[in-house]
Amino acid sequence: MEASSLPPCSITFLLLLLLTITVTVNADSLSRRALLANGLAATPPMGWNSWNHFNCFIDEKMIKETADALISTGLANLGYKFVNIDDCWAEISRDDKGNLVPKNSTFPSGLKALADYVHSKGLKLGIYSDAGYFTCSNKMPGSLGHEEQDAKTFASWGIDYLKYDNCNNDGSKPLVRYPVMTRALMNAGRPIFFSLCEWGDMHPALWGASVGNSWRTTNDIADNWDSMISRADQNEVYADYARPGGWNDPDMLEIGNGGMTKDEYIVHFSLWAVSKAPLLIGCDVRNVSKETMEIISNKEVIDVNQDKLGVQGKKVRMEGDLEVWAGALSGYRVAVVLLNRGAVRRVMTARWDDIGIPPSSTVIARDLWQHKTLKQRFVDILTATVDSHACKMYILKPIS
C-alpha cells in the first residue's frame, strides 16, 4: 500500500515511530564513548601548557623548571598534573625512518628522558601534533598520514596527553582525519588523553565524545576581556554535550599573562570552572605573582570544576549585561556565578526557579571568592552587588 493511501492515524504513527528511532539512535551514539573507556577524563584535565606565554620559545630546561614549580607552589597538589608542550618541539623534518625527532637544539636529552623526569615528580607529560602535513607554526611536521607511527612514538616516550591541531591539512573534514588518530592511540599500548583542537570548525561537541577526551569549541583565546568572554559564550552553547569522559574546551587559561584586571581574571577562572572546562594554566608558573596564585589556587572554585557529577553550568538568565550562570553539583548543591559584563556596578539576583532549586527552599550560601559561608539564610532568591567586569560565585545548598 502506498503511503498516500494510508489512513491519517497510520501516517501519524509511522512519523512518531521514525522520530522515536531517530532520538534513540542519537542518544545511543552519545552514550557510546569508544575512546573514553580509557578512563582518563572522569573530570576535566588540569595542568599547564606552554603556548599562551612562551609560543615557540620552549626548551627542556624550561619544561623541567615548570614541573618543579608546579610542585614547589603546591599547584600539583591541587590537581594541576599535566605539563603540556605545545608547538615547535620537533625538527622540521622526520628522520630516515619517518619518525618525529625532538629538536636537538632545545630538547637535546630527548622526550623520553623528559617524560621520565616529569613522571618522577608525580606529574604527566603532554605533547602536541596536528591533523595536517605541518603544524600551525609551520615549524614541524604534522601527523597526517603518520598517525599509527606517531602514536606509537608518543607511547614509547611515555607521553600522557596529545593536543591535536587542525592546520595545513588536505582539505578533508576533521570528521575524517581525527578518528584516524583516535584509532592509532587506542592501539599505541599506552593510555593517552586525546585533546581535539579543531577550533569548533565542525561543531565537535556533536561528535567528539566517540573520538576524544576533550574538544575545542572555539578559536584560540587571547589575553583580553572580549576574547575571553566570547570564548565562554561560544562554549556555553554546547553545555549539554559535556559529561564525565569528554569535555567542551574553550581554550587555555590566560590568568597571569597581564592583559586583564584581577576581577576579569577571576571571571575567567569562575566561568571555566562552572563550565567544566579544562584548567590549563598558560602563564609562567616559575615566576607567578601572589595575585595570580590566589586565583588559580582557589581550591573551592577548583572543586566546582572537578565535581564528580560532571554537569557543565550554563546561562540560566540573561538580562542585558547581567547574567546568571548555574550548574548542578553532587550532594544536591548548585554552583552559581553572578556575572556583570557591563560598565557599572549593579545589583543582581539569582532565583531558585532559574537555577534548579525547589521553590521555598531555605538555602545556605558559600561565597567561593570570599571563602566564607554567609550568615543569612536565603529563600527563593539570592541578591548581591557585583562590580563592572566582575562576578560573585557561590555554592548553594538547600537545608529545608
Side-chain angles (χ1 to χ4, degrees):
M1 183 181 294
E2 294 181 357
S4 60
S5 64
L6 288 171
C9 61
S10 298
I11 294 174
T12 301
F13 172 78
L14 288 173
L15 290 173
L16 288 172
L17 179 61
L18 180 60
L19 178 61
T20 300
I21 291 171
T22 302
V23 171
T24 301
V25 170
N26 288 340
D28 185 57
S29 66
L30 280 175
S31 66
R32 283 183 283 115
R33 295 171 174 267
L35 177 68
L36 308 188
N38 61 17
L40 300 179
T43 58
M46 295 177 61
W48 172 90
N49 179 284
S50 60
W51 185 257
N52 283 359
H53 187 85
F54 294 97
N55 300 113
C56 280
F57 300 100
I58 55 175
D59 58 47
E60 66 180 46
K61 178 176 181 291
M62 182 269 287
I63 299 298
K64 287 182 177 180
E65 289 174 351
T66 296
D68 294 343
L70 289 175
I71 301 297
S72 64
T73 58
L75 289 168
N77 286 337
L78 291 169
Y80 295 99
K81 298 293 188 182
F82 286 105
V83 181
N84 292 347
I85 305 168
D86 212 285
D87 203 351
C88 307
W89 59 267
E91 297 286 4
I92 191 65
S93 301
R94 293 172 179 269
D95 68 15
D96 56 6
K97 295 181 179 178
N99 295 312
L100 290 170
V101 180
K103 191 180 296 183
N104 186 61
S105 61
T106 51
F107 293 91
S109 302
L111 271 296
K112 175 65 167 65
L114 185 55
D116 289 344
Y117 182 86
V118 170
H119 291 159
S120 75
K121 302 290 182 178
L123 303 173
K124 299 179 179 182
L125 187 67
I127 204 72
Y128 167 98
S129 191
D130 191 288
Y133 297 118
F134 294 93
T135 62
C136 293
S137 69
N138 291 310
K139 293 183 178 180
M140 56 177 275
S143 290
L144 186 62
H146 293 268
E147 292 87 354
E148 287 281 345
Q149 185 174 15
D150 291 353
K152 289 178 180 176
T153 297
F154 298 150
S156 72
W157 289 341
I159 296 299
D160 304 292
Y161 183 115
L162 173 62
K163 176 182 174 181
Y164 204 47
D165 223 330
N166 195 30
C167 290
N168 300 308
N169 57 70
D170 59 1
S172 62
K173 293 181 178 180
L175 276 162
V176 173
R177 288 176 285 111
Y178 276 77
V180 181
M181 181 56 83
T182 300
R183 293 189 291 273
L185 292 174
M186 292 172 72
N187 295 324
R190 178 182 180 83
I192 297 176
F193 186 105
F194 192 24
S195 169
L196 314 181
C197 185
E198 59 93 273
W199 328 310
D201 176 17
M202 294 290 296
H203 305 289
L206 306 183
W207 49 268
S210 61
V211 180
N213 295 113
S214 67
W215 42 86
R216 276 278 294 280
T217 53
T218 72
N219 211 326
D220 288 0
I221 195 171
D223 186 20
N224 62 72
W225 170 262
D226 288 340
S227 175
M228 179 274 292
I229 208 73
S230 68
R231 300 308 181 267
D233 289 341
Q234 294 163 28
N235 187 69
E236 188 265 347
V237 173
Y238 301 105
D240 291 340
Y241 292 92
R243 66 193 69 181
W247 306 103
N248 293 316
D249 177 8
D251 206 6
M252 300 168 290
L253 298 169
E254 290 282 8
I255 301 158
N257 285 329
M260 288 182 259
T261 67
K262 181 179 180 180
D263 280 347
E264 289 172 339
Y265 280 140
I266 286 174
V267 169
H268 186 5
F269 201 64
S270 300
L271 292 182
W272 263 237
V274 78
S275 299
K276 301 300 187 289
L279 297 182
L280 297 175
I281 300 167
C283 67
D284 184 356
V285 294
R286 302 170 305 169
N287 299 291
V288 66
S289 70
K290 180 181 178 182
E291 181 177 282
T292 296
M293 273 297 297
E294 287 176 359
I295 298 171
I296 63 176
S297 67
N298 187 325
K299 186 177 186 304
E300 295 189 78
V301 177
I302 291 170
D303 286 347
V304 169
N305 178 262
Q306 297 289 297
D307 183 74
K308 62 183 180 181
L309 196 61
V311 173
Q312 179 174 330
K314 62 178 72 174
K315 301 178 192 182
V316 296
R317 290 296 292 268
M318 294 177 288
E319 300 177 278
D321 291 324
L322 308 182
E323 295 179 352
V324 179
W325 294 57
L329 300 174
S330 57
Y332 303 105
R333 300 169 302 148
V334 178
V336 175
V337 176
L338 303 181
L339 171 62
N340 180 2
R341 301 167 67 137
V344 296
R345 197 179 195 204
R346 297 287 297 276
V347 175
M348 297 188 61
T349 299
R351 295 173 171 82
W352 289 189
D353 58 350
D354 291 329
I355 64 179
I357 293 177
S360 302
S361 297
T362 301
V363 163
I364 294 175
R366 175 74 178 178
D367 186 320
L368 303 190
W369 288 105
Q370 293 296 318
H371 300 292
K372 65 181 181 181
T373 300
L374 305 185
K375 293 181 180 180
Q376 180 182 351
R377 298 297 183 257
F378 299 89
V379 179
D380 287 330
I381 64 171
L382 180 150
T383 298
T385 301
V386 185
D387 289 335
S388 166
H389 283 205
C391 71
K392 298 282 189 178
M393 188 172 188
Y394 305 96
I395 288 179
L396 306 184
K397 183 175 177 58
I399 57 173
S400 66

